[in-house]
Amino acid sequence: MSKSEIITIMICFHFNSYRNFQHYYMFFVKEHLADMFPHQLSYNRFLELEARVSVEMMMFLQICCFGRCTGISFIDSTCIPVCHNKRIYRNRVFKDYATRGKSTMGWYFGF
C-alpha cells in the first residue's frame, strides 16, 4: 500500500460517521473500498505504516487544507468549567482569568 493510499484512508475516516478507526478500517475499507485499494494490509500493519506517514500527512494538511485567514473568525461557545462551584474561592490557578457564567446546563466557573 502506498503512502498516498494510507493518507487517503486516514483523511476519509474523518468525513464518515464512524467513531472507531478499527471498525472503519475492518468493515468499511476492507469490504466496500476493496476495489479502490486492491493491496490492502491487515489492521495491525496499517497502524505501523500510519505512524510513518504522519509527517507527510501533516505537511499535506498544512499546505493544502488549511484556509487563509480572512479576518473573520468563529468561536465555539462551549463553556469550559474550571472547577466545581463550591470551590470557586479556593481556585488560584485561573483566579484572574475565569469568571462565573451561565449556559443551558446551569451556572459554571470557567471560560
Short mmCIF file of all heavy atoms in Angstrom, two decimals, residues 2-8 10-11 48-66:
data_model
loop_
_atom_site.label_atom_id
_atom_site.label_comp_id
_atom_site.label_asym_id
_atom_site.label_seq_id
_atom_site.Cartn_x
_atom_site.Cartn_y
_atom_site.Cartn_z
N SER A 2 0.59 2.18 -0.83
CA SER A 2 1.42 3.38 -0.94
C SER A 2 1.09 4.38 0.15
O SER A 2 0.06 4.29 0.83
CB SER A 2 1.23 4.01 -2.32
OG SER A 2 -0.07 4.54 -2.42
N LYS A 3 1.98 5.35 0.30
CA LYS A 3 1.77 6.39 1.31
C LYS A 3 0.52 7.21 1.01
O LYS A 3 -0.22 7.58 1.92
CB LYS A 3 2.98 7.31 1.39
CG LYS A 3 4.20 6.66 1.98
CD LYS A 3 5.34 7.66 2.06
CE LYS A 3 6.56 7.03 2.70
NZ LYS A 3 7.65 8.00 2.85
N SER A 4 0.28 7.49 -0.24
CA SER A 4 -0.89 8.29 -0.60
C SER A 4 -2.19 7.55 -0.29
O SER A 4 -3.18 8.15 0.11
CB SER A 4 -0.85 8.67 -2.08
OG SER A 4 -0.86 7.52 -2.88
N GLU A 5 -2.20 6.23 -0.45
CA GLU A 5 -3.39 5.45 -0.11
C GLU A 5 -3.65 5.46 1.39
O GLU A 5 -4.79 5.58 1.84
CB GLU A 5 -3.24 4.01 -0.61
CG GLU A 5 -3.29 3.88 -2.11
CD GLU A 5 -3.04 2.47 -2.57
OE1 GLU A 5 -2.29 1.72 -1.90
OE2 GLU A 5 -3.60 2.11 -3.63
N ILE A 6 -2.59 5.36 2.16
CA ILE A 6 -2.74 5.39 3.63
C ILE A 6 -3.27 6.75 4.08
O ILE A 6 -4.19 6.83 4.90
CB ILE A 6 -1.39 5.06 4.30
CG1 ILE A 6 -1.00 3.62 3.98
CG2 ILE A 6 -1.47 5.27 5.81
CD1 ILE A 6 0.40 3.24 4.40
N ILE A 7 -2.72 7.82 3.52
CA ILE A 7 -3.19 9.17 3.88
C ILE A 7 -4.63 9.36 3.44
O ILE A 7 -5.43 9.95 4.17
CB ILE A 7 -2.25 10.22 3.26
CG1 ILE A 7 -0.88 10.15 3.93
CG2 ILE A 7 -2.84 11.61 3.38
CD1 ILE A 7 0.17 11.03 3.29
N THR A 8 -4.99 8.85 2.28
CA THR A 8 -6.38 8.96 1.81
C THR A 8 -7.34 8.26 2.75
O THR A 8 -8.41 8.80 3.08
CB THR A 8 -6.50 8.37 0.39
OG1 THR A 8 -5.58 9.04 -0.47
CG2 THR A 8 -7.90 8.50 -0.14
N MET A 10 -6.88 7.68 5.93
CA MET A 10 -6.92 8.43 7.18
C MET A 10 -7.77 9.69 7.07
O MET A 10 -8.52 10.03 8.00
CB MET A 10 -5.49 8.78 7.61
CG MET A 10 -4.68 7.57 8.04
SD MET A 10 -2.92 7.87 8.21
CE MET A 10 -2.85 9.25 9.30
N ILE A 11 -7.70 10.38 5.96
CA ILE A 11 -8.49 11.60 5.77
C ILE A 11 -9.96 11.25 5.59
O ILE A 11 -10.84 11.92 6.15
CB ILE A 11 -7.95 12.41 4.59
CG1 ILE A 11 -6.59 13.01 4.96
CG2 ILE A 11 -8.91 13.52 4.19
CD1 ILE A 11 -5.88 13.70 3.83
N GLU A 48 1.06 0.34 11.83
CA GLU A 48 2.51 0.53 11.82
C GLU A 48 2.93 1.51 10.72
O GLU A 48 3.77 2.38 10.95
CB GLU A 48 3.21 -0.80 11.60
CG GLU A 48 3.10 -1.76 12.76
CD GLU A 48 3.68 -3.12 12.44
OE1 GLU A 48 4.24 -3.30 11.33
OE2 GLU A 48 3.55 -4.02 13.29
N LEU A 49 2.32 1.40 9.56
CA LEU A 49 2.66 2.30 8.46
C LEU A 49 2.03 3.68 8.63
O LEU A 49 2.54 4.65 8.10
CB LEU A 49 2.23 1.69 7.13
CG LEU A 49 2.95 0.42 6.73
CD1 LEU A 49 2.40 -0.11 5.42
CD2 LEU A 49 4.44 0.66 6.63
N GLU A 50 0.95 3.74 9.37
CA GLU A 50 0.29 5.02 9.62
C GLU A 50 1.22 5.97 10.36
O GLU A 50 1.26 7.17 10.08
CB GLU A 50 -0.99 4.79 10.41
CG GLU A 50 -1.77 6.03 10.73
CD GLU A 50 -2.98 5.73 11.58
OE1 GLU A 50 -3.16 4.58 12.01
OE2 GLU A 50 -3.74 6.68 11.82
N ALA A 51 1.97 5.46 11.30
CA ALA A 51 2.91 6.29 12.05
C ALA A 51 4.02 6.82 11.16
O ALA A 51 4.55 7.90 11.40
CB ALA A 51 3.50 5.49 13.21
N ARG A 52 4.37 6.09 10.11
CA ARG A 52 5.45 6.51 9.22
C ARG A 52 5.04 7.62 8.27
O ARG A 52 5.90 8.32 7.74
CB ARG A 52 5.95 5.32 8.42
CG ARG A 52 6.62 4.28 9.27
CD ARG A 52 7.13 3.14 8.43
NE ARG A 52 7.65 2.08 9.28
CZ ARG A 52 8.07 0.93 8.83
NH1 ARG A 52 8.05 0.67 7.54
NH2 ARG A 52 8.53 0.02 9.66
N VAL A 53 3.76 7.77 8.00
CA VAL A 53 3.31 8.80 7.06
C VAL A 53 2.74 10.03 7.77
O VAL A 53 2.19 10.90 7.12
CB VAL A 53 2.26 8.24 6.07
CG1 VAL A 53 2.84 7.13 5.24
CG2 VAL A 53 1.01 7.82 6.77
N SER A 54 2.90 10.11 9.06
CA SER A 54 2.32 11.24 9.80
C SER A 54 2.92 12.57 9.40
O SER A 54 2.22 13.58 9.31
CB SER A 54 2.44 11.01 11.30
OG SER A 54 3.79 10.91 11.66
N VAL A 55 4.23 12.60 9.12
CA VAL A 55 4.88 13.86 8.71
C VAL A 55 4.34 14.31 7.35
O VAL A 55 4.01 15.49 7.16
CB VAL A 55 6.41 13.69 8.66
CG1 VAL A 55 7.07 14.93 8.09
CG2 VAL A 55 6.95 13.38 10.04
N GLU A 56 4.23 13.38 6.40
CA GLU A 56 3.70 13.73 5.09
C GLU A 56 2.25 14.19 5.17
O GLU A 56 1.83 15.12 4.47
CB GLU A 56 3.81 12.53 4.13
CG GLU A 56 5.21 12.21 3.69
CD GLU A 56 5.89 11.21 4.60
OE1 GLU A 56 5.36 10.91 5.69
OE2 GLU A 56 6.96 10.71 4.21
N MET A 57 1.49 13.55 6.03
CA MET A 57 0.09 13.94 6.17
C MET A 57 -0.03 15.34 6.77
O MET A 57 -0.84 16.15 6.31
CB MET A 57 -0.66 12.94 7.04
CG MET A 57 -2.12 13.26 7.17
SD MET A 57 -2.98 11.98 8.05
CE MET A 57 -4.52 12.78 8.37
N MET A 58 0.78 15.64 7.77
CA MET A 58 0.73 16.98 8.36
C MET A 58 1.17 18.05 7.36
O MET A 58 0.62 19.15 7.32
CB MET A 58 1.61 17.04 9.61
CG MET A 58 1.03 16.29 10.78
SD MET A 58 -0.56 17.00 11.23
CE MET A 58 -1.46 15.52 11.56
N MET A 59 2.16 17.74 6.56
CA MET A 59 2.60 18.68 5.52
C MET A 59 1.49 18.90 4.50
O MET A 59 1.24 20.03 4.08
CB MET A 59 3.87 18.17 4.83
CG MET A 59 5.08 18.17 5.71
SD MET A 59 5.53 19.80 6.29
CE MET A 59 5.99 20.57 4.76
N PHE A 60 0.81 17.84 4.09
CA PHE A 60 -0.30 17.97 3.16
C PHE A 60 -1.41 18.83 3.74
O PHE A 60 -1.95 19.71 3.07
CB PHE A 60 -0.84 16.59 2.79
CG PHE A 60 -2.12 16.64 2.02
CD1 PHE A 60 -2.13 16.99 0.68
CD2 PHE A 60 -3.32 16.33 2.64
CE1 PHE A 60 -3.31 17.05 -0.03
CE2 PHE A 60 -4.51 16.38 1.94
CZ PHE A 60 -4.50 16.75 0.61
N LEU A 61 -1.77 18.57 5.00
CA LEU A 61 -2.83 19.35 5.63
C LEU A 61 -2.44 20.81 5.78
O LEU A 61 -3.25 21.71 5.58
CB LEU A 61 -3.18 18.75 6.99
CG LEU A 61 -3.84 17.38 6.96
CD1 LEU A 61 -4.01 16.85 8.38
CD2 LEU A 61 -5.18 17.45 6.26
N GLN A 62 -1.18 21.05 6.12
CA GLN A 62 -0.70 22.42 6.29
C GLN A 62 -0.72 23.19 4.97
O GLN A 62 -1.12 24.34 4.92
CB GLN A 62 0.71 22.42 6.88
CG GLN A 62 1.26 23.78 7.19
CD GLN A 62 0.60 24.41 8.39
OE1 GLN A 62 0.17 23.72 9.29
NE2 GLN A 62 0.51 25.71 8.39
N ILE A 63 -0.31 22.54 3.89
CA ILE A 63 -0.19 23.23 2.61
C ILE A 63 -1.53 23.34 1.89
O ILE A 63 -1.88 24.40 1.37
CB ILE A 63 0.84 22.50 1.71
CG1 ILE A 63 2.23 22.65 2.32
CG2 ILE A 63 0.82 23.05 0.30
CD1 ILE A 63 3.27 21.78 1.68
N CYS A 64 -2.29 22.28 1.88
CA CYS A 64 -3.47 22.23 1.02
C CYS A 64 -4.80 22.46 1.73
O CYS A 64 -5.73 22.98 1.13
CB CYS A 64 -3.53 20.88 0.31
SG CYS A 64 -2.14 20.59 -0.76
N CYS A 65 -4.92 22.06 2.97
CA CYS A 65 -6.25 22.01 3.57
C CYS A 65 -6.57 23.17 4.51
O CYS A 65 -7.75 23.45 4.74
CB CYS A 65 -6.42 20.69 4.32
SG CYS A 65 -6.40 19.29 3.20
N PHE A 66 -5.56 23.80 5.08
CA PHE A 66 -5.86 24.91 5.97
C PHE A 66 -6.12 26.15 5.14
O PHE A 66 -5.33 26.52 4.27
CB PHE A 66 -4.72 25.17 6.95
CG PHE A 66 -4.56 24.09 7.98
CD1 PHE A 66 -3.34 23.80 8.53
CD2 PHE A 66 -5.64 23.36 8.43
CE1 PHE A 66 -3.18 22.83 9.47
CE2 PHE A 66 -5.51 22.37 9.37
CZ PHE A 66 -4.27 22.11 9.89
#
